[in-house]
PDB file of all heavy atoms in Angstrom:
ATOM      1  N   VAL A 375      96.721  38.516 -55.414  1.00 97.00           N
ATOM      2  CA  VAL A 375      97.036  37.140 -55.016  1.00 97.00           C
ATOM      3  C   VAL A 375      97.463  37.090 -53.552  1.00 97.00           C
ATOM      4  O   VAL A 375      97.002  36.238 -52.777  1.00 97.00           O
ATOM      5  CB  VAL A 375      98.131  36.549 -55.937  1.00 97.00           C
ATOM      6  CG1 VAL A 375      98.565  35.179 -55.437  1.00 97.00           C
ATOM      7  CG2 VAL A 375      97.626  36.449 -57.370  1.00 97.00           C
ATOM      8  N   LEU A 376      98.342  38.045 -53.158  1.00 98.00           N
ATOM      9  CA  LEU A 376      98.808  38.073 -51.767  1.00 98.00           C
ATOM     10  C   LEU A 376      97.652  38.328 -50.795  1.00 98.00           C
ATOM     11  O   LEU A 376      97.572  37.711 -49.733  1.00 98.00           O
ATOM     12  CB  LEU A 376      99.874  39.166 -51.587  1.00 98.00           C
ATOM     13  CG  LEU A 376     101.269  38.823 -52.136  1.00 98.00           C
ATOM     14  CD1 LEU A 376     102.209  40.011 -51.975  1.00 98.00           C
ATOM     15  CD2 LEU A 376     101.832  37.595 -51.408  1.00 98.00           C
ATOM     16  N   LEU A 377      96.740  39.246 -51.178  1.00 98.00           N
ATOM     17  CA  LEU A 377      95.607  39.573 -50.304  1.00 98.00           C
ATOM     18  C   LEU A 377      94.666  38.375 -50.147  1.00 98.00           C
ATOM     19  O   LEU A 377      94.113  38.148 -49.071  1.00 98.00           O
ATOM     20  CB  LEU A 377      94.840  40.772 -50.870  1.00 98.00           C
ATOM     21  CG  LEU A 377      95.522  42.134 -50.696  1.00 98.00           C
ATOM     22  CD1 LEU A 377      94.916  43.174 -51.622  1.00 98.00           C
ATOM     23  CD2 LEU A 377      95.432  42.589 -49.244  1.00 98.00           C
ATOM     24  N   ILE A 378      94.490  37.591 -51.233  1.00 98.00           N
ATOM     25  CA  ILE A 378      93.648  36.389 -51.136  1.00 98.00           C
ATOM     26  C   ILE A 378      94.297  35.389 -50.174  1.00 98.00           C
ATOM     27  O   ILE A 378      93.629  34.776 -49.341  1.00 98.00           O
ATOM     28  CB  ILE A 378      93.419  35.756 -52.528  1.00 98.00           C
ATOM     29  CG1 ILE A 378      92.553  36.695 -53.389  1.00 98.00           C
ATOM     30  CG2 ILE A 378      92.733  34.387 -52.407  1.00 98.00           C
ATOM     31  CD1 ILE A 378      92.449  36.278 -54.844  1.00 98.00           C
ATOM     32  N   CYS A 379      95.651  35.256 -50.277  1.00 97.00           N
ATOM     33  CA  CYS A 379      96.362  34.373 -49.344  1.00 97.00           C
ATOM     34  C   CYS A 379      96.182  34.854 -47.908  1.00 97.00           C
ATOM     35  O   CYS A 379      95.960  34.054 -46.990  1.00 97.00           O
ATOM     36  CB  CYS A 379      97.849  34.319 -49.686  1.00 97.00           C
ATOM     37  SG  CYS A 379      98.197  33.525 -51.254  1.00 97.00           S
ATOM     38  N   ALA A 380      96.260  36.185 -47.710  1.00 98.00           N
ATOM     39  CA  ALA A 380      96.087  36.747 -46.373  1.00 98.00           C
ATOM     40  C   ALA A 380      94.677  36.466 -45.850  1.00 98.00           C
ATOM     41  O   ALA A 380      94.503  36.125 -44.672  1.00 98.00           O
ATOM     42  CB  ALA A 380      96.358  38.254 -46.400  1.00 98.00           C
ATOM     43  N   ALA A 381      93.669  36.589 -46.727  1.00 97.00           N
ATOM     44  CA  ALA A 381      92.287  36.306 -46.314  1.00 97.00           C
ATOM     45  C   ALA A 381      92.149  34.837 -45.930  1.00 97.00           C
ATOM     46  O   ALA A 381      91.465  34.498 -44.957  1.00 97.00           O
ATOM     47  CB  ALA A 381      91.318  36.668 -47.440  1.00 97.00           C
ATOM     48  N   GLY A 382      92.820  33.962 -46.679  1.00 96.00           N
ATOM     49  CA  GLY A 382      92.795  32.528 -46.367  1.00 96.00           C
ATOM     50  C   GLY A 382      93.451  32.251 -45.020  1.00 96.00           C
ATOM     51  O   GLY A 382      92.933  31.495 -44.193  1.00 96.00           O
ATOM     52  N   LEU A 383      94.603  32.921 -44.792  1.00 96.00           N
ATOM     53  CA  LEU A 383      95.334  32.741 -43.536  1.00 96.00           C
ATOM     54  C   LEU A 383      94.479  33.204 -42.354  1.00 96.00           C
ATOM     55  O   LEU A 383      94.404  32.544 -41.316  1.00 96.00           O
ATOM     56  CB  LEU A 383      96.644  33.542 -43.603  1.00 96.00           C
ATOM     57  CG  LEU A 383      97.633  33.319 -42.463  1.00 96.00           C
ATOM     58  CD1 LEU A 383      98.173  31.899 -42.516  1.00 96.00           C
ATOM     59  CD2 LEU A 383      98.784  34.322 -42.557  1.00 96.00           C
ATOM     60  N   ASN A 384      93.803  34.362 -42.536  1.00 96.00           N
ATOM     61  CA  ASN A 384      92.909  34.904 -41.506  1.00 96.00           C
ATOM     62  C   ASN A 384      91.830  33.882 -41.147  1.00 96.00           C
ATOM     63  O   ASN A 384      91.509  33.662 -39.978  1.00 96.00           O
ATOM     64  CB  ASN A 384      92.284  36.203 -42.040  1.00 96.00           C
ATOM     65  CG  ASN A 384      91.305  36.829 -41.055  1.00 96.00           C
ATOM     66  OD1 ASN A 384      91.601  36.934 -39.866  1.00 96.00           O
ATOM     67  ND2 ASN A 384      90.147  37.214 -41.550  1.00 96.00           N
ATOM     68  N   MET A 385      91.311  33.197 -42.185  1.00 94.00           N
ATOM     69  CA  MET A 385      90.264  32.196 -41.988  1.00 94.00           C
ATOM     70  C   MET A 385      90.817  30.976 -41.236  1.00 94.00           C
ATOM     71  O   MET A 385      90.182  30.469 -40.312  1.00 94.00           O
ATOM     72  CB  MET A 385      89.764  31.773 -43.364  1.00 94.00           C
ATOM     73  CG  MET A 385      88.417  31.148 -43.388  1.00 94.00           C
ATOM     74  SD  MET A 385      87.962  30.935 -45.124  1.00 94.00           S
ATOM     75  CE  MET A 385      86.531  29.910 -44.911  1.00 94.00           C
ATOM     76  N   VAL A 386      92.038  30.532 -41.635  1.00 94.00           N
ATOM     77  CA  VAL A 386      92.659  29.379 -40.983  1.00 94.00           C
ATOM     78  C   VAL A 386      92.906  29.679 -39.506  1.00 94.00           C
ATOM     79  O   VAL A 386      92.612  28.859 -38.629  1.00 94.00           O
ATOM     80  CB  VAL A 386      93.989  29.011 -41.691  1.00 94.00           C
ATOM     81  CG1 VAL A 386      94.791  28.017 -40.867  1.00 94.00           C
ATOM     82  CG2 VAL A 386      93.700  28.447 -43.081  1.00 94.00           C
ATOM     83  N   VAL A 387      93.429  30.897 -39.224  1.00 94.00           N
ATOM     84  CA  VAL A 387      93.708  31.289 -37.836  1.00 94.00           C
ATOM     85  C   VAL A 387      92.401  31.293 -37.040  1.00 94.00           C
ATOM     86  O   VAL A 387      92.340  30.783 -35.921  1.00 94.00           O
ATOM     87  CB  VAL A 387      94.378  32.682 -37.780  1.00 94.00           C
ATOM     88  CG1 VAL A 387      94.402  33.217 -36.350  1.00 94.00           C
ATOM     89  CG2 VAL A 387      95.789  32.597 -38.337  1.00 94.00           C
ATOM     90  N   PHE A 388      91.322  31.842 -37.656  1.00 93.00           N
ATOM     91  CA  PHE A 388      90.056  31.906 -36.931  1.00 93.00           C
ATOM     92  C   PHE A 388      89.522  30.507 -36.633  1.00 93.00           C
ATOM     93  O   PHE A 388      89.214  30.182 -35.490  1.00 93.00           O
ATOM     94  CB  PHE A 388      89.015  32.708 -37.722  1.00 93.00           C
ATOM     95  CG  PHE A 388      87.647  32.661 -37.091  1.00 93.00           C
ATOM     96  CD1 PHE A 388      87.416  33.310 -35.888  1.00 93.00           C
ATOM     97  CD2 PHE A 388      86.621  31.928 -37.668  1.00 93.00           C
ATOM     98  CE1 PHE A 388      86.177  33.250 -35.275  1.00 93.00           C
ATOM     99  CE2 PHE A 388      85.369  31.860 -37.059  1.00 93.00           C
ATOM    100  CZ  PHE A 388      85.154  32.518 -35.861  1.00 93.00           C
ATOM    101  N   HIS A 389      89.414  29.664 -37.668  1.00 90.00           N
ATOM    102  CA  HIS A 389      88.822  28.339 -37.458  1.00 90.00           C
ATOM    103  C   HIS A 389      89.734  27.425 -36.637  1.00 90.00           C
ATOM    104  O   HIS A 389      89.265  26.589 -35.873  1.00 90.00           O
ATOM    105  CB  HIS A 389      88.477  27.686 -38.796  1.00 90.00           C
ATOM    106  CG  HIS A 389      87.305  28.328 -39.461  1.00 90.00           C
ATOM    107  ND1 HIS A 389      86.018  28.161 -39.014  1.00 90.00           N
ATOM    108  CD2 HIS A 389      87.221  29.164 -40.522  1.00 90.00           C
ATOM    109  CE1 HIS A 389      85.196  28.861 -39.779  1.00 90.00           C
ATOM    110  NE2 HIS A 389      85.899  29.484 -40.708  1.00 90.00           N
ATOM    111  N   GLY A 390      91.062  27.596 -36.806  1.00 91.00           N
ATOM    112  CA  GLY A 390      92.005  26.703 -36.137  1.00 91.00           C
ATOM    113  C   GLY A 390      92.308  27.110 -34.711  1.00 91.00           C
ATOM    114  O   GLY A 390      92.582  26.259 -33.865  1.00 91.00           O
ATOM    115  N   ILE A 391      92.302  28.405 -34.416  1.00 89.00           N
ATOM    116  CA  ILE A 391      92.704  28.867 -33.081  1.00 89.00           C
ATOM    117  C   ILE A 391      91.553  29.581 -32.358  1.00 89.00           C
ATOM    118  O   ILE A 391      91.060  29.114 -31.341  1.00 89.00           O
ATOM    119  CB  ILE A 391      93.936  29.803 -33.170  1.00 89.00           C
ATOM    120  CG1 ILE A 391      95.111  29.066 -33.855  1.00 89.00           C
ATOM    121  CG2 ILE A 391      94.343  30.281 -31.779  1.00 89.00           C
ATOM    122  CD1 ILE A 391      96.271  29.958 -34.235  1.00 89.00           C
TER     123      ILE A 391
END
Side-chain angles (χ1 to χ4, degrees):
Chain A
V375 174
L376 284 177
L377 285 163
I378 292 171
C379 293
L383 188 67
N384 178 46
M385 201 173 169
V386 168
V387 168
F388 173 69
H389 288 287
I391 302 169

